[in-house]
Amino acid sequence: MLDLPLLSILTFLPLLSSFFIFLIPTKNEGTARNARAAAFFTTLIELALSLVLYINFDPTKAEFQYVEKHTWLETYHISYYLGVDGLSVCLILLTNITMPLAILSTWNGVRTRVKEYMLAFLILQTLMVGTFCALDLVLFYIFFEAVLIPMYFIIGIWGGERRIYASYKFFLYTLLGSILMLVAILYIYTLTDTTEIPALYDLGFSEHVQKWLWLAFFASFAVKLPMWPVHTWLPDAHVEAPTAGSVILAAILLKMGGYGFIRFSLPLFPQASAYFADFVFILSAIAVIYTSLVALVQKDIKKLIAYSSIAHMGFVTMGIFTFNVQGLQGAIFQMVSHGLVSGALFLCVGVVYERLHTRDIAHYGGLAKKMPLYAVVFMIFTLASIGLPGLSGFVGEILVLLGAFKVQWYWAALLGTGIIFGAAYMLRLYRRMMLGKIVHENLEKILDLDIIEKLCLIPLVILIIFLGIYPQPLLKLTEYAAQQALEPIDMKFLSKNVAELGIRSQ
């Protein structure tokens, strides 16, 4: 274990870098170039530090690792408290793999206020990493909520024509749910006189109190994920966000909701989690089927991928609340896989949008003839999205299906229906964009992937194939964390009809 405060460095290095980028003279001709280079270099250092974190992490230990604890607000017993388990490590890795690719994707795109754009992304990176490291409820809430601010500006300043509407909707939806979580945190503090998460794991709340606290936390995490029916902000945010903003929104920000369920809802409120499990299953099944059907009729590429994200998050929530290791590990794997695949799909949309400045599916057709490499890459991401064996999407989905089948066979059947619909809308999208005749004259001169676009997309292709063929590193990393999250779930708290089916927490 390293003696350096590695988590603090990982968390605040992007913020420190943003301060130096802020000092770059705005009127300098090289401002945009220097800001991009500094931001990209910072994200590469973050990635290297994340690999150090992963290499030195012991996934077989029960306790949090790399712990840093310092008194912050002594009077109120609130600490600057950081630490990670396997779940945190895999999401920090996902964050720091995605960020340099998102920054790189702006090289040929954003032309206005580039310095401010880079500042927003680096501040966002600090807040995302901090969210996954925080072991104090107040510290977690600060990071978790502050994420809204840079993303609000990214959408509202550099977004599309309806960017103001989309940014307001994004901010208000997520803020409203989080206010309820803040009230719950304050109530927990009044009951226990502590906000330290490991300490709260060892305490217990009455079943009645758990239910109200669970609902308050659920309101925040369900919107952030998002779950049906509080999902409507996501398609608008994706459509109006710039490419890099969509990548981070899909790859990382949505995962904060799933992370919250695993970190707080299961271990802190086990009785309430068992009580509300069927409620979550119903919402998850509706999300998978309904949003898949909505995706089938979309005309905007980004909106279609946004609805597919909601469907995939339905797998995540159902996997989490199966209360078995297979389902929970499948949910975690699905979060990571979706982060890579959806981020890659939004990068692919950005490639053609930069050339033709339209996201209307009808404006494309026959692209494979003019962009063969792009067609191959897009096909890999499409197949990963629908869960083709050998690609990362398959592993998460099959584990969630296995976990759901252990609960009730019909939940697995409903999820399977969603997979069929997912294949329908993704393959339809690919056929209309890539195959057939060239539908517009302006497609005749369209160019294939350039070097920057290859550098963005090829690493994701490699990762998606690697995790599909050899998922063991990620499964090993998260196995013990999944077992620890499920440990407080006692069989006697599960509903009778579920308990009779022999659901196992391990």
Side-chain angles (χ1 to χ4, degrees), residues 167-187:
S167 59
Y168 268 104
K169 191 174 182 179
F170 159 73
F171 194 92
L172 292 175
Y173 261 70
T174 50
L175 179 64
L176 180 61
S178 296
I179 287 174
L180 295 176
M181 183 172 71
L182 177 60
V183 173
I185 291 172
L186 294 175
Y187 183 72

Short mmCIF file of all heavy atoms in Angstrom, two decimals, residues 167-187:
data_model
loop_
_atom_site.label_atom_id
_atom_site.label_comp_id
_atom_site.label_asym_id
_atom_site.label_seq_id
_atom_site.Cartn_x
_atom_site.Cartn_y
_atom_site.Cartn_z
N SER A 167 -30.79 22.07 -20.15
CA SER A 167 -29.95 22.24 -18.97
C SER A 167 -30.78 22.53 -17.73
O SER A 167 -30.51 22.01 -16.64
CB SER A 167 -28.92 23.34 -19.20
OG SER A 167 -29.54 24.58 -19.49
N TYR A 168 -31.83 23.36 -17.87
CA TYR A 168 -32.72 23.64 -16.75
C TYR A 168 -33.44 22.37 -16.30
O TYR A 168 -33.57 22.10 -15.09
CB TYR A 168 -33.76 24.70 -17.13
CG TYR A 168 -33.32 26.11 -16.81
CD1 TYR A 168 -32.89 26.97 -17.83
CD2 TYR A 168 -33.34 26.60 -15.52
CE1 TYR A 168 -32.49 28.26 -17.56
CE2 TYR A 168 -32.94 27.89 -15.22
CZ TYR A 168 -32.52 28.72 -16.25
OH TYR A 168 -32.12 29.99 -15.97
N LYS A 169 -33.92 21.60 -17.25
CA LYS A 169 -34.65 20.38 -16.92
C LYS A 169 -33.74 19.38 -16.22
O LYS A 169 -34.12 18.77 -15.21
CB LYS A 169 -35.22 19.76 -18.21
CG LYS A 169 -36.22 18.65 -17.98
CD LYS A 169 -36.83 18.21 -19.30
CE LYS A 169 -37.87 17.12 -19.09
NZ LYS A 169 -38.49 16.69 -20.37
N PHE A 170 -32.53 19.23 -16.73
CA PHE A 170 -31.54 18.35 -16.11
C PHE A 170 -31.27 18.77 -14.67
O PHE A 170 -31.29 17.96 -13.74
CB PHE A 170 -30.25 18.38 -16.94
CG PHE A 170 -29.02 17.94 -16.20
CD1 PHE A 170 -28.82 16.61 -15.90
CD2 PHE A 170 -28.06 18.87 -15.80
CE1 PHE A 170 -27.68 16.20 -15.21
CE2 PHE A 170 -26.93 18.47 -15.12
CZ PHE A 170 -26.74 17.13 -14.82
N PHE A 171 -31.05 20.06 -14.46
CA PHE A 171 -30.69 20.57 -13.14
C PHE A 171 -31.84 20.42 -12.16
O PHE A 171 -31.66 19.95 -11.03
CB PHE A 171 -30.28 22.04 -13.26
CG PHE A 171 -29.57 22.58 -12.04
CD1 PHE A 171 -28.20 22.54 -11.96
CD2 PHE A 171 -30.30 23.09 -10.98
CE1 PHE A 171 -27.55 23.02 -10.83
CE2 PHE A 171 -29.66 23.58 -9.85
CZ PHE A 171 -28.27 23.54 -9.77
N LEU A 172 -33.04 20.81 -12.57
CA LEU A 172 -34.17 20.80 -11.65
C LEU A 172 -34.60 19.39 -11.27
O LEU A 172 -34.92 19.13 -10.10
CB LEU A 172 -35.35 21.57 -12.26
CG LEU A 172 -35.13 23.08 -12.42
CD1 LEU A 172 -36.31 23.70 -13.15
CD2 LEU A 172 -34.94 23.74 -11.05
N TYR A 173 -34.62 18.48 -12.24
CA TYR A 173 -34.99 17.10 -11.95
C TYR A 173 -34.05 16.50 -10.91
O TYR A 173 -34.49 15.92 -9.90
CB TYR A 173 -34.92 16.25 -13.23
CG TYR A 173 -36.25 16.02 -13.91
CD1 TYR A 173 -36.91 17.05 -14.55
CD2 TYR A 173 -36.84 14.77 -13.93
CE1 TYR A 173 -38.12 16.86 -15.19
CE2 TYR A 173 -38.05 14.55 -14.56
CZ TYR A 173 -38.69 15.60 -15.19
OH TYR A 173 -39.89 15.38 -15.82
N THR A 174 -32.75 16.59 -11.15
CA THR A 174 -31.78 15.95 -10.28
C THR A 174 -31.68 16.65 -8.93
O THR A 174 -31.48 16.00 -7.90
CB THR A 174 -30.41 15.89 -10.96
OG1 THR A 174 -30.07 17.20 -11.46
CG2 THR A 174 -30.42 14.94 -12.13
N LEU A 175 -31.85 17.97 -8.92
CA LEU A 175 -31.78 18.70 -7.66
C LEU A 175 -32.95 18.36 -6.75
O LEU A 175 -32.79 18.18 -5.54
CB LEU A 175 -31.74 20.21 -7.93
CG LEU A 175 -31.68 21.11 -6.69
CD1 LEU A 175 -30.38 20.89 -5.93
CD2 LEU A 175 -31.83 22.58 -7.08
N LEU A 176 -34.14 18.23 -7.33
CA LEU A 176 -35.33 17.97 -6.52
C LEU A 176 -35.20 16.65 -5.77
O LEU A 176 -35.49 16.58 -4.56
CB LEU A 176 -36.58 17.95 -7.41
CG LEU A 176 -37.91 17.70 -6.70
CD1 LEU A 176 -38.18 18.78 -5.66
CD2 LEU A 176 -39.06 17.63 -7.70
N GLY A 177 -34.77 15.61 -6.47
CA GLY A 177 -34.59 14.32 -5.81
C GLY A 177 -33.53 14.37 -4.73
O GLY A 177 -33.68 13.78 -3.65
N SER A 178 -32.46 15.10 -5.00
CA SER A 178 -31.35 15.14 -4.05
C SER A 178 -31.68 15.92 -2.79
O SER A 178 -31.09 15.69 -1.73
CB SER A 178 -30.12 15.76 -4.73
OG SER A 178 -29.69 14.94 -5.79
N ILE A 179 -32.60 16.86 -2.85
CA ILE A 179 -33.01 17.59 -1.65
C ILE A 179 -33.63 16.63 -0.64
O ILE A 179 -33.39 16.74 0.58
CB ILE A 179 -33.99 18.71 -2.02
CG1 ILE A 179 -33.24 19.85 -2.73
CG2 ILE A 179 -34.71 19.24 -0.80
CD1 ILE A 179 -34.13 20.94 -3.27
N LEU A 180 -34.39 15.66 -1.12
CA LEU A 180 -34.97 14.67 -0.22
C LEU A 180 -33.87 13.84 0.44
O LEU A 180 -33.97 13.51 1.64
CB LEU A 180 -35.94 13.77 -0.98
CG LEU A 180 -37.18 14.46 -1.55
CD1 LEU A 180 -38.01 13.47 -2.36
CD2 LEU A 180 -38.01 15.07 -0.45
N MET A 181 -32.82 13.52 -0.32
CA MET A 181 -31.70 12.78 0.27
C MET A 181 -31.00 13.61 1.34
O MET A 181 -30.58 13.09 2.37
CB MET A 181 -30.71 12.35 -0.81
CG MET A 181 -29.56 11.52 -0.27
SD MET A 181 -28.49 10.81 -1.53
CE MET A 181 -27.64 12.28 -2.12
N LEU A 182 -30.87 14.91 1.11
CA LEU A 182 -30.25 15.79 2.10
C LEU A 182 -31.05 15.79 3.41
O LEU A 182 -30.46 15.72 4.50
CB LEU A 182 -30.15 17.21 1.56
CG LEU A 182 -29.59 18.27 2.52
CD1 LEU A 182 -28.17 17.90 2.94
CD2 LEU A 182 -29.62 19.65 1.87
N VAL A 183 -32.36 15.84 3.31
CA VAL A 183 -33.21 15.77 4.51
C VAL A 183 -32.97 14.46 5.24
O VAL A 183 -32.86 14.42 6.48
CB VAL A 183 -34.70 15.92 4.13
CG1 VAL A 183 -35.59 15.70 5.34
CG2 VAL A 183 -34.95 17.30 3.52
N ALA A 184 -32.85 13.36 4.48
CA ALA A 184 -32.60 12.05 5.10
C ALA A 184 -31.24 12.02 5.79
O ALA A 184 -31.10 11.44 6.88
CB ALA A 184 -32.69 10.96 4.04
N ILE A 185 -30.22 12.62 5.18
CA ILE A 185 -28.89 12.67 5.78
C ILE A 185 -28.92 13.44 7.10
O ILE A 185 -28.33 13.02 8.11
CB ILE A 185 -27.88 13.30 4.80
CG1 ILE A 185 -27.63 12.36 3.62
CG2 ILE A 185 -26.56 13.62 5.50
CD1 ILE A 185 -26.80 12.97 2.50
N LEU A 186 -29.63 14.55 7.12
CA LEU A 186 -29.75 15.34 8.35
C LEU A 186 -30.47 14.54 9.44
O LEU A 186 -30.09 14.60 10.62
CB LEU A 186 -30.50 16.65 8.07
CG LEU A 186 -29.79 17.64 7.14
CD1 LEU A 186 -30.71 18.82 6.84
CD2 LEU A 186 -28.48 18.12 7.75
N TYR A 187 -31.48 13.78 9.04
CA TYR A 187 -32.21 12.96 10.02
C TYR A 187 -31.30 11.86 10.58
O TYR A 187 -31.31 11.58 11.79
CB TYR A 187 -33.46 12.37 9.38
CG TYR A 187 -34.30 11.58 10.35
CD1 TYR A 187 -35.04 12.21 11.34
CD2 TYR A 187 -34.36 10.20 10.27
CE1 TYR A 187 -35.82 11.49 12.24
CE2 TYR A 187 -35.12 9.45 11.16
CZ TYR A 187 -35.86 10.11 12.14
OH TYR A 187 -36.61 9.39 13.02
#
